[in-house]
Amino acid sequence: MAVEFGLLGTIEARVDGRLVDVGHIRQRSVLAALLTDATRTVPVDELVDRVWGDRVPQRGKETLYGYMSRLRRALRPAGEVRIVRRPGGYVLEVDPATVDMHRFRGLVAQARTAGDEQAAAMMRQALGLWRGEPFATVDTPWFHDLRQALERERFSAELEGTDLRLRSGLHGELLPELTTRHAEHPLDERLGGQLMLALSRSGRPAEALTCYQGIRRRLAEELGIDPGAPLRQLHQRILSGDPALALPDPTPNADLAPRGVRSMPTPRQLPARFGLFTGREQQLAELDKALDSPDEPGGTVVISAIGGSGGIGKTRLALHWAYERLDRFPDGQLYVDLRGFDTSGEPVAPAVVVRGFLDALGVESGAVPLDLQAQSGLYRSLVQERRMLIVLDNAADAEQAAALLPGGAGCVVLVTSRRRLVGLASAHGARLVTLDVLSHPEARELLVRHLGQDRTAAEPDAVAALLEHCGGLPLAISIVGARAAVHPDFPLAVLAEELKDESARLDALDAGDLTADVRAAFTVSYRALTAGAAEVFRHLGLASGPEIGQAAIVSLVARPVSAVRAALRELENAHLVQQPVPGRYRLHDLVRLYAAERAREESAGSGDEALLRLVDFYLHTACAAAALLDPHRDRIRLVTAMPGVTPQEPADHGAALDWFTTEYGVLRSTIDMAAAARFDRQSWQLAWAMETFFDYRGHWHDWVTSQRIALKAAERIGNRSWRAAAHRSLASVHTQMGLPDGHHHFRQALDLYRELGDLVSQAHTHRGFGWLCDQQGRRRDALDHAQQALALYQRTGHLAGQAKALNNVGWLHITLSEHRAALEYCAQAVDLNQKIGDRHGEAGAWDSLGYAHHHLAEYTAALDCYRRALELDRGFGDRYGETEILNHLGDTHLAAGDPEQAGLAWRQALNTAEEIGHPAAEELWSKLGGLSQAGPARRGSD
């Protein structure tokens, strides 16, 4: 079954030559958006942007999902072609060779490395794939930009195809075509030169000179410039009747040096190897694999592109690998520093590099062609079938490196760059080798090799601090080693103390030379960014936390999603940010310090506003998520978010729980950051929004820390209600952890609420007091507080509070062996929770009801209650409550004579208890140890 997809014209799909109906234009544009990135996951937001641009319908994503379903049905006849939902987006599983756009690009790339005859055939085949305007009638900005890019690629391919035909002596048949195209593009000097050369070779030099004058005049009138050097040189050669303009001689035998080459020398251009190298075993193995197992043995040059941030060790890796394998390249090694990120000037032009390579390969100056394309052709001819290594160091981008790739299978090319050279991979089959920071053992080994085993062993704490501050960055470690070596008698602790200060750490990582300065290494990458990417980079330096999501970045910079997405792609390609999972970004600690430094120096005055936007994003999203975790919790009133902030709205309870789980580390650090910046209102409210999640997941210590921050914020603001709420929250978590300060904080909260006349909050506090007394074994006092809470809830009509208080009263009756009374209260709690739809509260009430039945020896009823409670509780992700219920479930199974099921329940409870630090862990170990049939308890068993 032959499947073909067409994008270079109208969007179409064919199976065995027959058109497949893939729907109306908008649905076809969805197919096209997936086909352009065949086999790669395209995020949903990006698909929406591609298909609708700024005209997204009200239910854009739902409409997109409908299109996906219809496209799946339409593509069923295409066999293995599938649209698959992946985390973060959709991927079209299809062979890229079935898509004319990818086939066009692949043929053009292959033609550029092939001999003239084969290349000409490939170019004709590639250009023959075009049926008209790409993505015809699709009108969104993304498709418009891609359409223009493809038209430029087509034009470039036509120019290259014309060069091939000119070298083959087809100037006569080219004249009509070149004349027409020159009229359409009168300012294109390369096209004009091709027409001049064809005219000259056709015996019409006067017309060629007239053509040149026309080009020169139009350039002057419309652009105010003169023709470039290649066109001027061609003009002079036609004027002088240069015989070399005639058709070139037939290609000489491959075993003879080309005319004008002295003797085919063996170049040895590699720079001196670095003295210290450690680690990188995986990357060295990847390079070896590329060398030994090329994808197309005997037919493709082997290319490996080493990418990574400044100071990560790209050149060091390339040269170390090269020197260890010199015997594999008996015909020599070519090396060039392309200066892609050199602060002192522009990147080296490929033409300049080719000229230098020709010198190294023994070409006499008089034999070097004037035409730049001809020089490139001569270079490729000379290295054809030679077993050589070509190192292209510090490339600015894929385009600069691609212009220097040889043809044939004998050569191996190593390219290093601070950018990810995806273009080399897609067009030329390069293997991308990305360098990250050194692992801790590798980093330690490198520092030991700088300082010696004795010195590092003498100060283990200082060494650990130095390695932590360097973050595994090889350049930073080498600078630390160099600075320490200057003063061999100084304690390493002195240098470690200097690096401890974040505000001066980058100053400390400067050995007095641009090549040994971490800040300078980052500056080179930063200056190469576009303005939009640089702005996003600076703002990322302001953010706290180990990583940050794209949605948060949009609010941080107050820019459209599409602009932020483009900036992040650029930053990731420049290795200034990493994307460990789709939509999540992180910076190396030293890069973060540099970004913050740039923000302070270049964005003075706007930093506080940006931080407030970020805090607002987390605050409003956290409150929306918290409302889904516990819909019956009393709300707080939020101030409208700042302009530019676009909070997220989790769809349901599961999405809210997932959001808190993903953002947990960031939220903790955001509370700290807000407090440090004296954003007191926001820090209090964010700590409040986190309480339910803390409780569900058993993050007791973080709960305590956040509420201490909240209490100080409330005291600075002077808000007594917020002070009381922080005291009550601290009392709850202290009681949860079995700590002694719970009573103090409940008393503080109750006194404040009484001063304020807040009856509902007094009820909340009495209920908490009852729990505390229960934990202390003071059952009657606990029941008294629970009954006071119930009375206040009933007085104020607070149904959710009444349901909880009924359950508390029922539970306390159980502890007082008043089980029949307990059944009545707990049953009322179940009914009221069901009435108001509080499924979490209902789970707790079923647990209490099961406990009462258990103590009445009604084990079947108890088991039924616990199973209901467990099913409800697991739906909420409340791991603390799940542990309690499983513990009770195990007790009932044992009492009912089923120790095997008891052990299973207790082991499940123990696993969770140990993960979250539940105080029942030791009790569960004791129970498991006492099970004679279960054998000895084993930690971690399930």
Side-chain angles (χ1 to χ4, degrees):
M1 180 184 299
V3 180
E4 296 176 294
F5 293 97
L7 302 178
L8 303 179
T10 55
I11 301 167
E12 62 180 38
R14 292 178 182 270
V15 176
D16 291 332
R18 294 190 301 275
L19 277 173
V20 176
D21 183 5
V22 289
H24 53 71
I25 185 60
R26 198 63 71 189
Q27 186 168 302
R28 277 184 281 139
S29 66
V30 173
L31 175 62
L34 291 170
L35 286 168
T36 57
D37 283 292
T39 73
R40 187 185 76 85
T41 300
V42 184
V44 171
D45 288 341
E46 193 168 329
L47 279 171
V48 170
D49 180 62
R50 292 181 182 187
V51 173
W52 284 285
D54 56 1
R55 299 194 297 274
V56 181
Q58 187 172 5
R59 299 175 64 84
K61 289 185 179 179
E62 288 78 0
T63 304
L64 177 69
Y65 301 150
Y67 289 164
M68 291 296 181
S69 296
R70 290 194 284 274
L71 282 171
R72 286 190 180 104
R73 289 195 296 270
L75 293 174
R76 279 174 187 162
E80 295 299 316
V81 178
R82 294 190 309 144
I83 297 175
V84 180
R85 182 68 191 264
R86 296 272 175 80
Y90 287 90
V91 61
L92 184 61
E93 293 184 345
V94 62
D95 181 358
T98 63
V99 185
D100 58 2
M101 183 189 80
H102 299 305
R103 200 155 63 250
F104 164 74
R105 286 174 164 172
L107 286 167
V108 170
Q110 292 175 46
R112 287 170 176 158
T113 61
D116 282 3
E117 183 177 350
Q118 186 181 8
M122 289 178 174
M123 284 295 187
R124 282 195 301 273
Q125 186 181 352
L127 293 168
L129 295 170
W130 285 69
R131 297 172 287 109
E133 180 184 71
F135 320 110
T137 72
V138 180
D139 58 353
T140 64
W142 185 84
F143 278 109
H144 174 73
D145 292 344
L146 182 55
R147 181 184 296 123
Q148 289 189 324
L150 284 167
E151 293 284 8
R152 289 193 294 270
E153 291 179 38
R154 178 186 186 179
F155 185 65
S156 177
E158 288 174 339
L159 291 173
E160 293 180 43
T162 299
D163 282 338
L164 292 166
R165 293 163 71 187
L166 283 171
R167 290 205 290 272
S168 300
L170 301 177
H171 44 273
E173 70 177 45
L174 278 168
L175 271 176
E177 176 185 331
L178 285 172
T179 302
T180 301
R181 288 171 55 208
H182 176 60
E184 296 170 352
H185 305 279
L187 298 179
D188 190 282
E189 295 186 42
R190 184 175 176 186
L191 178 58
Q194 290 174 339
L195 176 58
M196 289 168 59
L197 184 59
L199 287 167
S200 175
R201 286 181 176 174
S202 299
R204 299 157 64 178
E207 292 178 55
L209 296 174
T210 300
C211 177
Y212 173 80
Q213 294 302 329
I215 296 170
R216 186 185 63 79
R217 184 172 58 255
R218 293 197 67 157
L219 286 172
E221 291 173 353
E222 298 185 27
L223 302 179
I225 61 174
D226 290 326
L231 195 66
R232 294 198 310 270
Q233 291 170 0
L234 177 60
H235 172 245
Q236 187 61 42
R237 293 174 70 184
I238 294 173
L239 272 177
S240 61
D242 186 352
L245 286 179
L247 285 175
D249 294 335
T251 303
N253 292 332
D255 58 344
L256 298 176
R259 186 160 45 91
V261 178
R262 292 187 292 272
S263 61
M264 300 292 283
T266 302
R268 305 289 186 189
Q269 291 192 326
L270 292 181
R273 68 189 303 173
F274 291 92
L276 296 178
F277 183 87
T278 187
R280 305 302 193 195
E281 285 82 3
Q282 178 184 343
Q283 290 79 15
L284 291 169
E286 288 181 44
L287 293 174
D288 284 341
K289 184 178 179 182
L291 177 63
D292 295 329
S293 305
D295 291 334
E296 299 179 37
T300 302
V301 62
V302 178
I303 309 164
S304 291
I306 303 171
S309 64
I312 205 71
K314 301 176 294 295
T315 301
R316 189 179 293 260
L317 172 67
L319 293 180
H320 177 82
W321 182 86
Y323 271 106
E324 291 296 312
R325 289 147 187 86
L326 285 179
D327 60 317
R328 302 291 296 271
F329 310 109
D331 295 326
Q333 306 90 39
L334 295 173
Y335 172 90
V336 63
D337 180 357
L338 294 173
R339 300 174 66 179
F341 298 87
D342 195 320
T343 58
S344 62
E346 294 295 315
V348 181
V352 175
V353 178
V354 168
R355 187 65 181 82
F357 282 172
L358 291 177
D359 287 340
L361 292 167
V363 179
E364 297 175 358
S365 59
V368 176
L370 291 176
D371 182 70
L372 298 180
Q373 290 289 332
Q375 290 180 18
S376 296
L378 178 58
Y379 153 63
R380 292 191 174 95
S381 298
L382 291 174
V383 298
Q384 181 85 8
E385 304 301 330
R386 298 186 73 184
R387 295 169 62 193
M388 296 186 70
L389 172 66
I390 301 171
V391 180
L392 307 176
D393 197 14
N394 198 17
D397 50 36
E399 184 179 1
Q400 184 191 27
L404 299 170
L405 297 180
C411 292
V412 170
V413 181
L414 283 184
V415 187
T416 74
S417 179
R418 295 184 181 215
R419 290 196 175 101
R420 288 198 307 181
L421 303 181
V422 178
L424 280 186
S426 60
H428 301 281
R431 296 172 185 253
L432 300 182
V433 179
T434 301
L435 292 189
D436 202 347
V437 296
L438 297 172
S439 67
H440 182 74
E442 291 171 342
R444 180 178 176 79
E445 181 184 347
L446 181 58
L447 186 61
V448 169
R449 294 186 66 183
H450 275 286
L451 302 179
Q453 184 66 49
D454 292 343
R455 191 174 182 189
T456 52
E459 295 185 74
D461 292 341
V463 167
L466 290 172
L467 291 174
E468 179 184 354
H469 299 324
C470 290
L473 188 70
L475 176 60
I477 296 169
S478 297
I479 291 171
V480 165
R483 288 195 57 196
V486 171
H487 298 288
D489 297 329
F490 284 17
L492 295 178
V494 174
L495 185 53
E497 186 65 26
E498 184 179 351
L499 286 169
K500 183 178 179 180
D501 181 3
E502 285 192 353
S503 64
R505 188 172 299 165
L506 293 177
D507 294 327
L509 293 173
D510 176 3
D513 187 291
L514 283 178
T515 62
D517 182 348
V518 168
R519 180 186 284 110
F522 295 158
T523 299
V524 169
S525 295
Y526 175 72
R527 289 179 178 173
L529 298 174
T530 61
E535 179 190 27
V536 171
F537 178 71
R538 292 194 299 272
H539 279 79
L540 288 175
L542 302 174
S544 60
E547 61 182 37
I548 185 170
Q550 180 181 289
I553 300 172
V554 169
S555 293
L556 174 66
V557 300
R559 292 287 183 267
V561 174
S562 57
V564 170
R565 189 183 296 125
L568 289 170
R569 279 198 299 268
E570 182 178 344
L571 291 171
E572 190 177 6
N573 286 335
H575 294 281
L576 288 172
V577 302
Q578 295 174 307
Q579 188 179 191
V581 295
R584 306 288 299 176
Y585 297 88
R586 67 185 179 204
L587 285 71
H588 185 278
D589 288 345
L590 294 176
V591 175
R592 185 188 301 279
L593 290 177
Y594 178 78
E597 186 178 275
R598 295 266 56 79
R600 289 192 298 272
E601 294 183 7
E602 299 181 35
S603 304
S606 63
D608 283 350
E609 287 187 7
L611 283 179
L612 270 173
R613 286 196 300 269
L614 183 64
V615 173
D616 258 6
F617 166 82
Y618 286 124
L619 172 59
H620 283 260
T621 306
C623 285
L628 290 168
L629 293 188
D630 187 356
H632 299 279
R633 185 184 180 197
D634 296 337
R635 299 286 180 268
I636 59 172
R637 186 166 55 197
L638 296 176
V639 176
T640 303
M642 291 181 65
V645 175
T646 53
Q648 292 180 289
E649 293 285 344
D652 51 30
H653 181 279
L657 199 59
D658 288 344
W659 185 83
F660 271 121
T661 301
T662 299
E663 301 289 354
Y664 181 62
V666 180
L667 291 168
R668 285 183 305 162
S669 59
T670 301
I671 294 173
D672 294 337
M673 178 192 71
R678 289 296 188 264
F679 301 156
D680 290 329
R681 173 179 59 82
Q682 292 88 343
S683 63
W684 186 93
Q685 291 177 326
L686 189 53
W688 175 92
M690 292 288 293
E691 281 186 53
T692 302
F693 183 74
F694 285 142
D695 189 22
Y696 278 8
R697 290 303 169 90
H699 296 310
W700 318 127
H701 295 285
D702 291 334
W703 187 352
V704 169
T705 300
S706 68
Q707 283 303 319
R708 284 174 178 165
I709 291 172
L711 180 58
K712 290 180 180 177
E715 289 171 345
R716 285 193 293 267
I717 294 172
N719 188 316
R720 288 186 294 166
S721 178
W722 285 10
R723 279 174 54 204
H727 276 299
R728 183 164 64 85
S729 185
L730 281 168
S732 296
V733 67
H734 277 93
T735 302
Q736 196 86 275
M737 298 172 71
L739 298 177
D741 291 341
H743 186 278
H744 164 75
H745 287 295
F746 274 133
R747 175 52 58 194
Q748 291 288 319
L750 192 56
D751 290 346
L752 285 165
Y753 284 136
R754 282 172 175 165
E755 290 176 17
L756 293 165
D758 186 342
L759 299 181
V760 170
S761 296
Q762 288 177 46
H764 293 333
T765 310
H766 275 298
R767 193 162 56 83
F769 246 138
W771 176 33
L772 172 64
C773 292
D774 180 34
Q775 296 290 91
Q776 295 174 340
R778 296 158 50 204
R779 312 297 186 201
R780 288 294 173 190
D781 290 341
L783 182 59
D784 179 60
H785 280 293
Q787 289 171 333
Q788 288 188 65
L790 179 58
L792 287 168
Y793 285 134
Q794 290 171 335
R795 178 179 170 186
T796 56
H798 197 289
L799 295 181
Q802 289 179 47
K804 289 181 172 63
L806 283 167
N807 185 39
N808 295 153
V809 171
W811 172 264
L812 290 165
H813 275 299
I814 297 171
T815 64
L816 292 167
S817 300
E818 299 164 355
H819 302 121
R820 291 296 172 193
L823 288 177
E824 180 181 349
Y825 282 104
C826 293
Q828 289 182 51
V830 168
D831 291 342
L832 185 52
N833 276 304
Q834 290 176 338
K835 177 181 177 180
I836 64 177
D838 187 350
R839 300 180 71 222
H840 189 246
E842 183 187 346
W846 279 116
D847 179 45
S848 298
L849 196 57
Y851 201 69
H853 281 299
H854 170 91
H855 283 82
L856 290 167
E858 298 167 350
Y859 301 129
T860 302
L863 291 173
D864 181 61
C865 291
Y866 289 142
R867 289 179 182 126
R868 288 171 182 250
L870 196 59
E871 180 181 358
L872 288 167
D873 201 85
R874 282 176 169 165
F876 281 85
D878 180 359
R879 306 186 76 198
Y880 187 93
E882 179 184 341
T883 304
E884 295 280 314
I885 297 166
L886 285 167
N887 193 3
H888 296 159
L889 182 64
D891 292 342
T892 301
H893 275 304
L894 185 64
D898 192 345
E900 183 177 350
Q901 287 298 314
L904 178 62
W906 286 337
R907 276 189 286 273
Q908 291 178 15
L910 178 61
N911 287 339
T912 303
E914 292 194 317
E915 285 181 24
I916 67 174
H918 194 292
E922 289 306 317
E923 175 193 344
L924 287 162
W925 270 112
S926 177
K927 288 178 179 180
L928 285 166
L931 278 179
S932 58
Q933 295 184 6
R938 290 179 293 119
R939 290 186 181 268
S941 61
D942 193 354

